Each structure stands twice: as C-alpha cells, then as structure tokens.
Amino acid sequence: MQWIPPINPKRYHLEELLAARSVSLDWLNSGDVDPYNPANVARYSITEAAKIVPVHYRASMVDSPEILTWLRELVDAAREDQAERCSPVASVTLGRSMLLLGPTGTGKTHQAYGAIRELAVTGVAARWVVTTSADMYAALRPRHGIDSEAEFLRYRDARILLVDDLGAERKPTEFTEEVNFRLINWRYEHQLPTLITSNLVRKEIAERLGDRVTSRLIEMCEPVVFKGPDRRRGEAA
Ligand SMILES: Nc1ncnc2c1ncn2[C@@H]1O[C@H](COP(=O)(O)OP(=O)(O)OP(=O)(O)O)[C@@H](O)[C@H]1O
Ligand SMILES: [Mg+2]
C-alpha cells in the first residue's frame, strides 16, 4: 500500500459522505508517511474506489440500514482480525453476504457502489472485485489466449465481490449455471463477503439460478428488497 498525499474531498465527491459518517477531513488527511496509518488506508481506498465506481455512481451513499449494518460488521471483524494477527492493516476478511433485490431503477446498484465508498472512508482495507454477471460470463468464455480458469479465480477468490445483476440473462445455459454454482459454492464455503444485486423476484430465483445455488444464497445472504418506482423515469411513487 503506497502513501497517498492529502486529498481534496470535492474531487472524490466525499463531502456529504464524510459528514454523514462523522469522519473529519482533519483525520482523513492526517498521519505521517506511514502507509499503514488508517487515515492513509482510507485515502488509498478512496482513490482505489474512484477507479472502480462508475461515473454515474461516483457520489453514491448507502441509505439502507441493513447494508450499513453489514458494513459495520465487516469493519468490526476486520479490526478484530487485525488485533488477533497483529497485522499492520485492518482488512476485510470473512463475513456475511447481501442480496439486493428489486425491480429496475429502484437503487440496487446505487447502494452497491455506495457500499464501496462507505467502506473506503473507514480506514479498513477492502480489495473489491466488481462485475456484472453478464460481464463476468463474457470474460470467462473460453477463447484463444485467455486463461479462463485464472480469470475465474479472480472472482472466486476476491476478498469482497460485487456481482451486479445476477440472473439477468434471459436463459440460463449450462455455462452460466456452472459458473454460478462454482462461484457461489466457493464463496459460501469460505464465507467470503459478496454483494449481489438481482432483478429477480424471490420466486424466480430458484427457477433462474437452480435449487443448489438458491439454497446457498438463502443461507449466506441477508436479502434486502427495494421497492418503489423506477427512479430513472422519475415516476411518482
Ligand atoms: N438513494 C439514491 N439517491 C439518489 N439517486 C439514487 C438513489 N438510488 C438510486 N438513485 C438513482 O436512481 C437511478 C436508478 O438506480 P440504480 O441504477 O441503482 O437502479 P437499479 O435498481 O440498479 O436498476 P436495474 O435493476 O435496472 O439495474 C440511478 O440514476 C441512480 O443513480
Ligand atoms: Mg442496477
């Protein structure tokens, strides 16, 4: 982890987030050149988050209490693990997963990218891998010059993973079923925190993802259901 000089909160759309979480700018920009100082970890995480959060969601914040609780648990677990292992940096390790459900435009992706930004300002390191399920399948399709298995391991072993739009494909194929099962089963068995969003309603989940994936998701994830109008259309509630 490299040392990051003091950052301008405006540049990273942080003013509201820092105020909401009572994180002072003095703290964020504090510390000497020790890269393991939590304030530097936060600055580093903020710059890394800015690379993976799409422009559209660059100012996103979490307002779901369930997701905020989940993030607090991850932070607490990371700090406990750091104390136990006398490690220089608190990093997200094991934890529960979340399944954000709801129709289009209800704010699932907004919350998911908000979670990345929220975690960044805590000073706990989180190495996110971020994908939509469609992009993941595309990246994993066997083709010349690509080691699909190595690519798969990047998702499977991510310390914390966002899979946006799981189950969005019209028709599951043997290929997507196998990827889903291998991915979810591994992350279930190893208790690797995973943030999943999906447009599926509960009763469609088993139909689309199969019983074995669904059973694991039910045990490993807390579901959060988003309701309301499509915010993109600005429809009245
Ligand atoms: N809490 C929020 N505050 C401000 N804007 C929001 C909030 N939640 C969502 N939005 C905005 O509403 C729009 C729809 O949100 P988002 O993209 O998260 O929906 P979604 O549930 O992921 O939809 P889809 O299922 O189609 O992917 C976006 O423009 C997003 O930035
Ligand atoms: Mg979305």
Side-chain angles (χ1 to χ4, degrees):
M1 184 162 314
Q2 82 234 43
W3 182 76
I4 306 289
I7 61 175
N8 173 357
K10 254 205 178 98
R11 178 163 173 226
Y12 294 99
H13 308 271
L14 286 174
E15 286 148 312
E16 210 185 319
L17 178 57
L18 295 180
R21 305 303 165 225
S22 307
V23 175
S24 83
L25 189 58
D26 283 348
W27 172 79
L28 183 63
N29 281 333
S30 68
D32 47 24
V33 291
D34 172 13
Y36 298 137
N37 179 303
N40 187 64
V41 175
R43 294 197 298 277
Y44 175 79
S45 305
I46 288 164
T47 58
E48 289 300 299
K51 294 178 195 164
I52 56 173
V53 173
V55 174
H56 189 85
Y57 302 103
R58 66 190 165 193
S60 55
M61 282 169 59
V62 172
D63 36 41
S64 147
E66 293 91 343
I67 301 173
L68 288 172
T69 301
W70 177 64
L71 293 170
R72 252 192 313 272
E73 282 174 17
L74 292 179
V75 166
D76 290 348
R79 293 199 174 124
E80 270 172 36
D81 181 70
Q82 178 193 21
E84 270 169 29
R85 299 196 303 133
C86 300
S87 127
V89 172
S91 309
V92 167
T93 52
L94 308 183
R96 292 188 303 137
S97 294
M98 298 296 279
L99 178 58
L100 315 189
L101 298 170
T104 195
T106 48
K108 304 175 299 293
T109 303
H110 187 97
Q111 296 295 303
Y113 282 113
I116 295 177
R117 286 167 35 81
E118 298 269 357
L119 211 43
V121 301
T122 64
V124 161
R127 267 178 279 136
W128 287 86
V129 172
V130 166
T131 187
T132 64
S133 62
D135 285 342
M136 177 175 66
Y137 304 139
L140 298 181
R141 284 204 191 279
R143 58 204 192 278
H144 187 68
I146 295 292
D147 182 349
S148 306
E149 192 58 21
E151 184 69 13
F152 174 70
L153 298 186
R154 207 169 71 76
Y155 302 107
R156 190 194 75 171
D157 295 337
R159 296 296 284 270
I160 179 163
L161 175 69
L162 165 59
V163 182
D164 201 9
D165 277 332
L166 185 68
E169 66 283 356
R170 279 246 170 88
K171 278 207 180 117
T173 63
E174 242 172 64
F175 174 75
T176 61
E177 278 176 359
E178 186 189 325
V179 169
N180 290 345
F181 182 74
R182 288 186 62 206
L183 181 74
I184 299 301
N185 185 51
W186 182 273
R187 297 192 69 83
Y188 164 80
E189 288 186 348
H190 293 82
Q191 295 182 4
L192 298 171
T194 310
L195 180 52
I196 299 168
T197 80
S198 180
N199 273 323
L200 299 174
V201 298
R202 282 179 201 239
K203 61 178 195 289
E204 287 171 334
I205 296 177
E207 245 167 62
R208 207 58 85 80
L209 301 175
D211 283 338
R212 301 179 72 220
V213 168
T214 305
S215 164
R216 285 162 177 76
L217 287 178
I218 288 171
E219 191 181 338
M220 73 196 260
C221 294
E222 177 178 355
V224 183
V225 179
F226 290 79
K227 295 193 172 112
D230 180 348
R231 287 169 174 265
R232 294 193 191 97
R233 293 170 191 257
E235 289 168 352

